[in-house]
Amino acid sequence: MKNIKEVHVLNHTHWDREWYETFEEFRYKLRNGLRYVQGLLDSGNLDNFFLDGQTIVLDDYRDIVSQDEYERLVSFIKEGKIEVGPWYLLADEFLVSGESILKNLEIGIKKSKAYQSAYNIGYLPDTFGHNSQMPQIFRGYNIDTAIVWRGAISSTFENAWEGADGSKVFTFVLPLFEGYYQTFLKHDDYVEKTKTYLESNSPYLTYGHALVMNGADHTYTCPDINERINTLNDRNNEIEFKQSLMSDYVQSFAGKEPVETIVGEQRDPSKIFILPGVYSTRSYLKNQNQMCEDQAIGTMEALNVWTNGNTNSAPFIEHVWKLILQNQPHDSICGCSVDEVHAEMETRTQKVLSAIRQFSKDTLNNEYPFEFLQENIENDYLYVMNNTPIADIYPVKTEILIPAALDLGGITLMYDSEEIAFDLIKKEKREVFLRHILAEPHYAEYAIYDVSFVLPFDGVGTKRIRIERVCMEAEVIKIVDDSGIDNEFYRIQCSDNGLIITDIETNKVYENQHQFLSSLDAGDAYNYSPPVNDPYSLAIVSGVSDIEKGKSYQSMTLHYEMKLPASLNENRTGPSEEYVVNKMTTTITLHQGRRFISFKTKIHNQAKDQKLRIGFATPKADESYGDTAFDLVKRHTIREKLWDMPKNKEAVMNQYPTYSTVLAMEHQLVHRGLQEYEVDHFQGNDFIFLTMVRSVGWLSRRDLRTRGNGAAPGFETPGAQCLGTYEFEYGLVLGSSHQSLNTAKVMRQQILTQQSYLLKEEQKLFNQSSSTIAFSSFIQKEKDSFDIRMFNPTNEKQFTQLKLGFEPTTIYEVDFSGTIIEKYEASSQITIAFNPKQIKTIRVKRKE
């Protein structure tokens, strides 16, 4: 300990909002814990307290105490005795979008500022690894210091963490297996344990400022901490022990420079588990979370921009974002909590989707009103809104309502005096319940045309289509007897186990595509672990149905069956003797003019203890790329796998995170919610696999091959077996020259439609020219302006042209907090340069 000059004792608790108990159970404990802390502060037995870098705990506490009690807690924050923030909550870094990470900090920093709490440390004590763009994100909020643990390895405690773009933050890397989890000051032998702890940390310290994080998960310091610190000072004359806030500790390094650097993504499990099995645990939760994120960005935020904020919905939008974020703590979105927690998450998801759905209905109806009280007023315009700034052919699917008394049997759709080729999926006459708060609810008979067509958009904009009633019977798209489907780019046929796809442009044939493969999994919610005897099960194509060939699309449905073990055997070393049959139904769609293969799969899972994947054969792929928040990261295929780990060690896994895209050789897979992928060898070929369902029945076990210890309480979680029916959406692009991160945006962002009687001009908001620069969002932050966020996922300097559909008054580049970085010429067309891996936010001001 000879190089230790002072010891900062950080009194804290790590507060998982929900995990091995439900939110309400933990919240009651939170109330009692915060009362305990305030009592110690009042009595002088505690100098200060750090509230885990989160502000959501304040909201949770406020809701179950009196206003006076809550204000007492706030007074401690304002006095500088309790610190909160900068986060709203501690979310996982790989399973949420970059926009969610920004919104998380935005909300947390706003609350921290309101209560005058320091917020200048990027506190990441327990997330399961750290993504490559966190330093750039922190810098964009003027956060210049961070603290990390899982996945980060360094020979020093004080480091520069260099992000993908070169941004750096002063970063403390917790060097020991215990990390933030330090409870020894509560023990009777705390003097000896403190000495042991400091001796273990001493070799990592450059400047002699040691940190004792006095707390752990859902636990608080002892009531006589002041006395114990005085005892430590008495017994260590050369070292000063003191209670410090996190901001005090950061300030002790003012003017000092780190001597070591950690670079980019941090996912090294050699110190402490990074728990990569969570990328696929309860994959339905990942799918639901991304549905919410997509709707929040592509519908709610986009519509708010279209109205220039005239919906007056800032508090509502923040409320919705808070609900989304409440599903994103690492023990929640990772799927590694008890079943009751995840049932509540599904309820939050439904709240989010319902709220955005009503916001969308009302906003679109305000912009393009639909008349449903007077049948003599015809709603003969269909407005189509695209909120993705990428030039492409966009599929549109919508319902068109014609009052039954006015229906002539059919319709035509006209755009600029030309007829649009559309397909009628279904037509029915039925009673419709119509309602609006400014008009009485009522029922009316309508002919409902369920139609599908494609439209070209060159960016974010609206198009107006004329609906004409015609005296001819509408023909529903027919099901044909054929062997496959095709469009201008691809020809698709089925084989015994999957698909054969031909790239028409190159005449290259891709066999062994879209194959379902299952293996056993003796792991738990945190880690995949294969049993010693691990048979593979491959699905067969049992039939093809519903081959539809229309004017705008062709589709077919494949039916798969897979015979596989019902579960592990009793000692978890191999398969049980009982077998079940899983059934998968996949609809494959090709739209005219689109170089994209769309898949929608429904899985009927009856098997436990398994990992079910969908695979696409590829030539040997030693490297692949998966996207994370604002980045695209190269991954190396692990050929030789080491499964059996000693105590406290975790296997380096071949499973990698992906937010929306996987690139390998000629394949680009895009998806919603299938966030674990791997490249692996099977039956003579490399395959790119997306994990669809991972079935496990335990929160944590201590007998895994891939992790040499437990990761949580050993509770059973039958819901994590994922028995039942699940649906997923994903897609494929073949040909490396056609790969772009924007492909996922086009697939996942909803085309909005609204039928109206009102004649309004079409509008264009903006587009971007480069397929290399990835679009992230456009969001209203100030009146008469909106922010466009894009990023460069490559290691080369890139450019894009931003073309606006109006004359702007000013254009700025701003950081994430809104501070101006650079002013551009106020022109409807500007060129923006991006350094490698750079994220840029462009604020466009427009006339009211």
Side-chain angles (χ1 to χ4, degrees):
M1 296 199 300
K2 52 188 175 182
N3 66 329
I4 296 180
K5 301 173 184 176
E6 58 183 13
V7 177
H8 295 255
V9 177
L10 180 82
N11 303 306
H12 80 107
T13 183
H14 178 54
W15 200 258
D16 299 292
R17 197 165 178 262
E18 52 192 15
W19 180 20
Y20 52 81
E21 292 173 335
T22 64
F23 162 60
E24 291 297 346
E25 288 169 303
F26 274 134
R27 174 153 71 172
Y28 188 78
K29 295 178 182 180
L30 173 70
R31 188 206 69 169
N32 293 344
L34 290 182
R35 285 178 173 178
Y36 169 76
V37 166
Q38 292 171 86
L40 293 181
L41 290 170
D42 268 337
S43 67
N45 290 317
L46 187 70
D47 291 350
N48 43 49
F49 191 78
F50 183 69
L51 198 44
D52 203 32
Q54 308 181 65
T55 61
I56 192 173
V57 289
L58 303 179
D59 295 346
D60 294 341
Y61 179 74
R62 180 195 60 211
D63 290 346
I64 59 170
V65 299
S66 68
Q67 183 64 27
D68 287 344
E69 183 173 336
Y70 179 69
E71 290 300 331
R72 178 170 175 253
L73 176 66
V74 170
S75 69
F76 281 116
I77 300 172
K78 291 181 176 180
E79 291 168 12
K81 293 185 177 182
I82 296 178
E83 276 184 352
V84 297
W87 298 101
Y88 177 58
L89 50 76
L90 298 178
D92 185 81
E93 294 179 49
F94 292 102
L95 295 172
V96 306
S97 70
E99 294 296 331
S100 289
I101 292 173
L102 299 185
K103 186 62 70 171
N104 193 335
L105 280 168
E106 177 187 311
I107 294 172
I109 288 172
K110 184 173 74 171
K111 178 64 73 72
S112 301
K113 283 184 175 181
Y115 292 162
Q116 295 128 51
S117 180
Y119 60 89
N120 63 332
I121 182 161
Y123 189 64
L124 298 169
D126 194 32
T127 46
F128 304 160
H130 309 285
N131 75 55
S132 60
Q133 290 286 27
M134 286 309 304
Q136 186 176 182
I137 291 171
F138 284 148
R139 280 293 184 182
Y141 281 105
N142 300 309
I143 295 172
D144 53 13
T145 310
I147 187 166
V148 298
W149 179 41
R150 294 186 189 269
I153 304 296
S154 177
S155 60
T156 60
F157 182 65
E158 308 94 340
N159 298 266
W161 182 9
E162 181 179 327
D165 73 318
S167 297
K168 292 182 180 180
V169 291
F170 195 117
T171 299
F172 306 118
V173 175
L174 300 176
L176 304 182
F177 180 83
E178 296 79 13
Y180 68 88
Y181 197 108
Q182 298 161 26
T183 59
F184 53 82
L185 286 175
K186 299 173 72 167
H187 300 174
D188 292 340
D189 56 350
Y190 70 93
V191 174
E192 293 77 13
K193 286 184 175 178
T194 299
K195 180 182 178 182
T196 300
Y197 172 78
L198 293 175
E199 286 176 343
S200 299
N201 273 272
S202 180
Y204 296 94
L205 300 178
T206 304
Y207 296 109
H209 304 297
L211 178 66
V212 174
M213 299 188 70
N214 181 31
D217 297 5
H218 315 115
T219 190
Y220 296 84
T221 187
C222 55
D224 58 345
I225 185 63
N226 261 338
E227 295 177 19
R228 295 184 180 220
I229 289 177
N230 289 337
T231 299
L232 291 170
N233 275 318
D234 291 342
R235 300 193 182 190
N236 297 274
N237 294 329
E238 297 179 358
I239 302 175
E240 180 187 5
F241 288 78
K242 56 185 175 182
Q243 297 178 58
S244 294
L245 289 165
M246 187 62 78
S247 60
D248 298 328
Y249 187 63
V250 170
Q251 186 58 35
S252 73
F253 290 88
K256 297 178 173 62
E257 295 293 330
V259 295
E260 297 290 337
T261 300
I262 59 174
V263 179
E265 184 180 89
Q266 303 295 304
R267 292 185 64 253
D268 187 329
S270 58
K271 174 180 62 185
I272 180 63
F273 314 139
I274 62 168
L275 311 170
V278 300
Y279 303 144
S280 55
T281 303
R282 301 183 193 255
S283 55
Y284 64 91
L285 294 176
K286 283 71 167 168
N287 187 39
Q288 291 174 9
N289 174 65
Q290 292 197 341
M291 286 180 184
C292 292
E293 291 178 325
D294 291 347
Q295 288 283 299
I297 291 295
T299 298
M300 180 176 68
E301 295 282 12
L303 282 173
N304 193 47
V305 172
W306 276 110
T307 69
N308 194 22
N310 290 331
T311 62
N312 192 23
S313 297
F316 169 83
I317 290 172
E318 182 171 302
H319 163 73
V320 172
W321 270 112
K322 283 183 174 180
L323 284 174
I324 294 171
L325 293 171
Q326 286 166 25
N327 275 349
Q328 294 186 350
H330 51 278
D331 294 306
S332 303
I333 189 60
C334 290
C336 51
S337 294
V338 294
D339 290 347
E340 293 86 351
V341 165
H342 300 303
E344 187 169 358
M345 287 177 65
E346 292 197 79
T347 300
R348 287 190 204 114
T349 293
Q350 289 307 313
K351 287 183 176 182
V352 169
L353 297 178
S354 297
I356 297 176
R357 182 165 56 246
Q358 193 59 49
F359 175 86
S360 176
K361 285 179 181 178
D362 280 10
T363 304
L364 285 170
N365 197 70
N366 288 340
E367 295 294 306
Y368 309 102
F370 178 89
E371 176 55 57
F372 57 85
L373 289 178
Q374 302 181 57
E375 289 192 354
N376 61 325
I377 297 179
E378 299 176 20
N379 296 289
D380 52 6
Y381 296 105
L382 180 70
Y383 291 91
V384 182
M385 178 183 289
N386 172 47
N387 290 322
T388 307
I390 311 302
D392 207 334
I393 303 294
Y394 288 81
V396 181
K397 190 175 180 182
T398 190
E399 287 184 343
I400 293 174
L401 278 64
I402 306 293
L406 300 179
D407 183 44
L408 302 178
I411 59 172
T412 58
L413 302 179
M414 306 295 295
Y415 181 70
D416 280 350
S417 74
E418 291 190 9
E419 189 172 337
I420 294 176
F422 72 91
D423 293 296
L424 181 61
I425 299 169
K426 181 176 65 174
K427 180 190 175 184
E428 60 178 341
K429 288 190 177 182
R430 60 178 169 83
E431 186 179 74
V432 176
F433 177 51
L434 297 164
R435 64 273 189 198
H436 190 282
I437 61 169
L438 301 182
E440 64 271 22
H442 74 289
Y443 296 91
E445 288 288 329
Y446 278 88
I448 301 173
Y449 294 79
D450 188 357
V451 301
S452 176
F453 55 93
V454 295
L455 275 180
F457 281 91
D458 62 3
V460 176
T462 63
K463 293 199 172 187
R464 184 184 67 241
I465 294 170
R466 173 88 181 180
I467 304 166
E468 295 184 355
R469 296 174 291 115
V470 293
C471 294
M472 57 180 294
E473 194 60 34
E475 291 189 8
V476 176
I477 190 169
K478 291 184 171 59
I479 296 175
V480 300
D481 183 13
D482 210 333
S483 60
I485 59 174
D486 59 66
N487 68 359
E488 301 95 313
F489 306 108
Y490 300 115
R491 182 179 306 113
I492 302 177
Q493 297 171 299
C494 67
S495 62
D496 291 342
N497 299 113
L499 298 175
I500 301 169
I501 303 174
T502 302
D503 185 326
I504 294 174
E505 185 178 70
T506 64
N507 209 32
K508 187 172 183 177
V509 178
Y510 298 83
E511 298 184 344
N512 300 314
Q513 303 297 299
H514 203 267
Q515 295 192 351
F516 287 98
L517 180 68
S518 178
S519 57
L520 289 171
D521 191 342
D524 57 21
Y526 294 94
N527 291 77
Y528 161 73
S529 186
V532 175
N533 179 16
D534 188 15
Y536 285 87
S537 303
L538 185 65
I540 61 169
V541 177
S542 59
V544 181
S545 68
D546 300 333
I547 298 179
E548 299 177 346
K549 294 193 173 184
K551 302 169 186 175
S552 66
Y553 75 92
Q554 295 188 12
S555 69
M556 65 179 180
T557 300
L558 267 63
H559 302 271
Y560 292 82
E561 290 188 358
M562 174 189 288
K563 184 179 179 182
L564 72 168
S567 65
L568 289 164
N569 58 21
E570 189 171 338
N571 60 14
R572 301 177 67 83
T573 59
S576 66
E577 295 183 359
E578 181 184 354
Y579 280 74
V580 295
V581 175
N582 276 355
K583 294 184 178 181
M584 290 74 69
T585 303
T586 300
T587 298
I588 306 122
T589 303
L590 294 172
H591 288 95
Q592 296 303 311
R594 290 204 72 209
R595 191 187 295 274
F596 185 78
I597 306 169
S598 173
F599 301 93
K600 289 186 179 180
T601 291
K602 182 179 291 187
I603 299 169
H604 304 278
N605 178 44
Q606 300 188 72
K608 300 178 180 179
D609 309 324
Q610 60 141 351
K611 183 167 76 168
L612 176 65
R613 298 174 288 171
I614 187 68
F616 297 80
T618 178
K620 187 178 181 183
D622 290 327
E623 295 177 348
S624 60
Y625 294 83
D627 67 329
T628 57
F630 300 122
D631 201 5
L632 185 65
V633 181
K634 181 189 288 187
R635 311 293 186 189
H636 297 283
T637 302
I638 299 175
R639 302 288 181 184
E640 301 297 326
K641 302 177 181 65
L642 298 176
W643 300 123
D644 297 294
M645 293 292 109
K647 185 176 180 180
N648 291 340
K649 293 297 179 182
E650 182 182 62
V652 177
M653 305 301 289
N654 198 39
Q655 289 89 34
Y656 292 111
T658 162
Y659 179 73
S660 65
T661 294
V662 178
L663 306 174
M665 304 299 286
E666 297 294 310
H667 284 68
Q668 178 181 8
L669 295 175
V670 300
H671 62 86
R672 180 186 284 122
L674 300 174
Q675 292 187 257
E676 176 184 276
Y677 88 94
E678 60 191 305
V679 176
D680 209 353
H681 202 70
F682 177 69
Q683 292 188 343
N685 285 303
D686 272 6
F687 276 78
I688 310 161
F689 287 109
L690 295 175
T691 304
M692 304 195 84
V693 174
R694 196 167 75 86
S695 302
V696 292
W698 294 85
L699 184 61
S700 176
R701 295 181 63 93
R702 297 185 183 273
D703 59 355
L704 273 62
R705 298 175 66 194
T706 55
R707 191 191 68 232
N709 210 331
F715 296 162
E716 288 192 68
T717 53
Q721 292 286 7
C722 296
L723 301 177
T725 301
Y726 301 92
E727 295 186 42
F728 297 99
E729 184 177 1
Y730 47 103
L732 172 65
V733 174
L734 293 169
S736 58
S737 62
H738 308 300
Q739 295 173 352
S740 169
L741 282 185
N742 292 317
T743 302
K745 276 288 186 186
V746 173
M747 184 195 89
R748 289 174 46 170
Q749 295 291 17
Q750 181 180 7
I751 293 288
L752 304 178
T753 62
Q754 174 71 10
Q755 193 176 343
S756 178
Y757 67 86
L758 194 65
L759 177 63
K760 290 186 71 171
E761 293 297 317
E762 294 182 346
Q763 301 177 70
K764 292 185 179 181
L765 206 55
F766 71 99
N767 65 16
Q768 69 176 69
S769 63
S770 172
S771 62
T772 302
I773 295 299
F775 165 69
S776 184
S777 68
F778 65 101
I779 296 175
Q780 178 125 357
K781 294 290 186 183
E782 297 177 351
K783 184 69 174 174
D784 303 325
S785 74
F786 62 94
D787 292 355
I788 302 169
R789 188 147 37 242
M790 301 167 284
F791 64 96
N792 177 10
T794 77
N795 290 310
E796 305 292 333
K797 191 169 187 176
Q798 301 287 345
F799 299 85
T800 191
Q801 279 193 334
L802 197 62
K803 187 175 182 180
L804 304 171
F806 56 91
E807 289 297 328
T809 59
T810 53
I811 302 177
Y812 300 103
E813 180 189 346
V814 297
D815 67 12
F816 299 132
S817 66
T819 302
I820 296 173
I821 298 173
E822 180 182 352
K823 185 175 182 179
Y824 288 87
E825 179 186 356
S827 170
S828 62
Q829 185 167 313
I830 61 171
T831 299
I832 302 172
F834 289 78
N835 291 326
K837 303 290 185 176
Q838 188 175 23
I839 311 165
K840 284 200 172 187
T841 305
I842 307 300
R843 178 159 294 175
V844 180
K845 288 189 174 289
R846 53 185 172 176
K847 296 178 182 178
E848 186 175 353

